[in-house]
Amino acid sequence: MWETIIQITPHAVAFTIPLLVVSLGGLYSERSGVVNIGLEGFMIVGMFAGALTVATLAPSMQGAAVWLGLLMAVLVGAVFALLHAFACVTLNANQVISGTAINMVAGALTTYLARNITGSGNIVIPIALPRQNLAYLADIPIIGEMFFTRAYATTLLVLVILAVSTVLLYRTRFGLRLRACGENPHAADAAGINIYRMRYIAVAISGALASLGGAIFLVTIAGEYSGTAGGLGFLALAALIFGQWKPLGLLGATFFFGLASTVANVSRILPYLAHIPDIVLQTFPYVVTLLALVAFSRSSQAPKALGEPYDKGRR
Amino acid sequence: MRLISKTFAVSLGAIGLGLIAGAILMLVTGNNPLAGYFHLFRGGLMNIERFGNSLASSTALILTGLSVAFAFKTGLFNIGASGQMLMGGLLASAVGLYVPWPRPLLLLAMFLAASIGGGAWGALPGWLKVKFNVHEVVSTIMMNWIAFWTVSYVVPRYLRDIFMETESRRIPAEASLRTEWLTDLFQGSYINLGLVLAIAAVAVVAFLLERTVLGYELKAVGHNKHAAQAAGIDIDQRMVTSMAIAGALAGLGGFVFYAGYSVNIQIGILPAQGFDGIAVALLASSSPWGVWGAATFFGILHTGKGFMNAMTAIPPTIADTIIATIIYFAATSILIETVWDKYSKRREQRSPRRGRPSPEQEVK
């Protein structure tokens, strides 16, 4: 049993990391009061931008191209998110419809561009991120062996983003203001906060992180852009809800989901897991999210003004 | 007197902006948009067979569009049409593959199976909403992926093709909605009885919404929940009913797609028709007959894209990009509405002078 856990944890972690950063992206947007079901779309944009950058630069730059690909994904994601912000914040559009449009535009537009570039619509990256033992962290007993040996450097990057986000959202003036926009925008406005600007920033960060998640998924697991993120963005959305819109909740939820998905993938080769039907493990994240919604229906931690366009004139 | 209503103008505006965005995209990628659009529409309309294919492509869209529109009328957002479509298609396929009944009876059984599968997949989020206050947008998204994995589990185990693990067996001819006279009439196109079913569904939904007590009550809940409740309508029960009917409509979309347009059901795909249905409902501003029109338009785009790709260097995904952009512009319809209001206000100010001269002018 223990051996199995040691064996599958690196795979679970590899799957958890992109999921975690995408759901962190969702956290920024939703904490500011803007529903973001476009996470899947931002991931696709990130995968496209990352794949194109890595494929173009890899011959001349080798390993550095991967990191430039991640950087490019962040930039493109932030710019693409302005579409969502413009609709939701400036035009008071229905945020769910805008998010749906984002998902569809992202998939169709990037596939269109990819087909213009490569002809097939797929962009294979010639090099991926290597697995390595992370300095110092790998030496920690047990935890180091489980999480930081044969790990990707992006694991560390995302954990840093998680830590920074937690501090940013809960320990700084910026974070307090951002959360105020999602809880009670009228009070925030009265206190002199520019709701529109805060929400623009939050949605842009959201797009940047979700897009980064897509690119991390690309360079660690997927290996190619093929016009889809396979529903990972929706899984991250489920994690955001299951984690009740809190950074540490997201860490727990995404690891939980990552583990379930990994076990689902390896259950056929592990004898004592073989009797669990795949369907139970694969639908597990969505079912527990529904159950969590039912369980927390009276005490949901969702931002109070989530999904409501800000109307200055209403009191 | 206005020639067209504001909602219709908004829809036309969204389509126009979507087409302009598509044209810009074609230009940026070094293609000729005029040639692109010419071949795109020609591909969907140029002969009877292709027109039949356009109608066949529109069939599932009519039903998913109706599904989304129906829920909209009750103030609910059904983003789960894809999952409902999958469950309807899965149950219909299972019945079609396993039940050896004569054709009319078999098709009826598949019809019922699809409605039940989709209906249940819609009713559950409705129930979760009224009972536990779970937002239907979130729950229907979860239900989509539960359906996705359910199909991935069931098809390879119970319905699988001998050679392909990722597809079900082909349904027998008795279980298919394709029928000789329609295929012949449209010279060998994919068109099938599903279109008849879809148009009948449009008529039934229009009748239900406009001429029945249930329809009136559903719309009342959509307009103002509190007023509806004060008027003695059981709003909880009506919301579940609305989601169940919306789900059943999308389930039928699965029936006509997997047993009419296609010949089997595949795993690993969340059908795009479910999301395109949102676009259809938005363009139609939830009117059932408008849904038919919008779905036909998208059907032409979907059928024409392959022809366009064959005749020009433009990738077929331009059609999906245009549809996606149209949704974005429909979501931001306030832009178009503002322009429309400005224009009509100016016209109203101008009209007295243009029409009958005002008393002052007559004096002069």
Side-chain angles (χ1 to χ4, degrees), chain A residues 110-178:
Chain A
T110 56
T111 309
Y112 176 81
L113 294 174
R115 287 193 64 137
N116 264 301
I117 296 161
T118 64
S120 71
N122 290 23
I123 303 174
V124 181
I125 51 169
I127 47 168
L129 201 64
R131 278 182 184 269
Q132 61 194 76
N133 291 346
L134 301 178
Y136 304 115
L137 292 168
D139 300 332
I140 306 170
I142 304 176
I143 295 178
E145 193 181 354
M146 281 169 69
F147 298 103
F148 301 115
T149 45
R150 289 180 293 131
Y152 296 110
T154 44
T155 302
L156 202 55
L157 173 70
V158 171
L159 289 179
V160 169
I161 293 175
L162 174 72
V164 169
S165 296
T166 312
V167 173
L168 191 65
L169 284 171
Y170 290 91
R171 290 282 178 272
T172 66
R173 195 157 58 175
F174 171 78
L176 181 67
R177 289 178 171 179
L178 190 145

Side-chain angles (χ1 to χ4, degrees), chain B residues 240-264:
Chain B
V240 178
T241 309
S242 172
M243 280 304 286
I245 295 176
L249 286 166
L252 289 177
F255 174 36
V256 301
F257 185 72
Y258 295 111
Y261 189 81
S262 173
V263 289
N264 61 5

Side-chain angles (χ1 to χ4, degrees), chain A residues 235 238 242 256-258 260-261 280-290, chain B residues 142:
Chain A
L235 196 59
F242 189 63
F256 206 34
F257 291 176
S261 302
V280 174
L281 294 161
Q282 272 153 341
T283 57
F284 170 82
Y286 310 106
V287 175
V288 295
T289 301
L290 283 180
Chain B
M142 301 302 136

